[in-house]
Amino acid sequence: MAIRTIRLKDDEILRKKSRDVKEINERILTLLDDMAETMYNSEGVGLAAPQVGILKKVVTIDIGEGLLELINPVIIEEKGEKVIEEACLSVPGESGKVLRPEYCKVEALNRNGEKIVIEAKDLLAVAVSHETDHLKGVLYIDKLIDEE
Ligand code: ZN
């Protein structure tokens, strides 16, 4: 495992769309391992592959309930809306308020290529929404809301 360099907000790779993983091979497994290590090393709760310079639909999340590895995640349902104070490893030292779903259901593959469905609530729903945005080239700073 290795810690990879986290790309910062002005890096144009963060603005590109990620591609589906076609085959879960050694490179993808190494990417997953490295992303988890990089995320934990930075004390983040989530990381998306574009943040380490790889335009593939791969996400790691750990909100303190164990590691989740999502390959080709797709949000298939969303409910509710909540204002969240958010931060991002690619935007160090900053935070801001955005709207996120209170609940979302996400379909993905795990590292064994098995389909998994996760019903995410609260912080996990926020993390899933934030990380899947990265796969579309969207950062939370694009969604900041003004609160008077
Ligand atoms: Zn982020």
Side-chain angles (χ1 to χ4, degrees):
M1 299 218 284
I3 291 168
R4 302 204 185 187
T5 304
I6 295 178
R7 305 299 185 94
L8 300 180
K9 65 176 176 185
D10 294 328
D11 193 319
E12 64 181 25
I13 203 159
L14 293 175
R15 297 309 187 168
K16 296 189 171 156
K17 289 191 168 69
S18 292
R19 291 179 291 272
D20 278 328
V21 173
K22 295 263 158 58
E23 183 201 356
I24 302 170
N25 54 24
E26 275 308 309
R27 285 178 66 177
I28 296 296
L29 298 177
T30 302
L31 175 64
L32 280 166
D33 291 342
D34 289 355
M35 283 174 59
E37 190 172 3
T38 304
M39 175 179 78
Y40 290 127
N41 180 63
S42 301
E43 293 176 4
V45 297
L47 193 68
Q51 292 181 277
V52 293
I54 308 287
L55 289 172
K56 292 233 188 294
K57 291 183 185 170
V58 176
V59 162
T60 57
I61 291 173
D62 190 341
I63 60 161
E65 296 175 354
L67 177 62
L68 272 177
E69 298 174 319
L70 305 178
I71 299 167
N72 300 342
V74 180
I75 292 179
I76 52 174
E77 196 185 332
E78 272 186 5
K79 275 187 219 154
E81 224 173 31
K82 213 173 179 174
V83 178
I84 298 287
E85 180 83 15
E86 214 164 279
C88 176
L89 292 176
S90 294
V91 191
E94 291 179 35
S95 66
K97 290 187 170 68
V98 294
L99 282 174
R100 291 292 180 190
E102 288 180 305
Y103 163 92
C104 68
K105 191 189 244 186
V106 61
E107 229 174 60
L109 298 175
N110 66 16
R111 63 162 55 222
N112 302 316
E114 296 154 349
K115 189 167 126 179
I116 52 173
V117 178
I118 293 164
E119 302 206 61
K121 278 187 283 188
D122 304 320
L123 183 56
L124 185 56
V126 171
V128 167
S129 176
H130 178 116
E131 301 311 330
T132 53
D133 270 357
H134 274 300
L135 304 179
K136 301 175 207 151
V138 173
L139 300 180
Y140 87 84
I141 48 176
D142 305 341
K143 301 182 151 188
L144 291 175
I145 53 168
D146 279 330
E147 274 194 326
E148 257 89 290

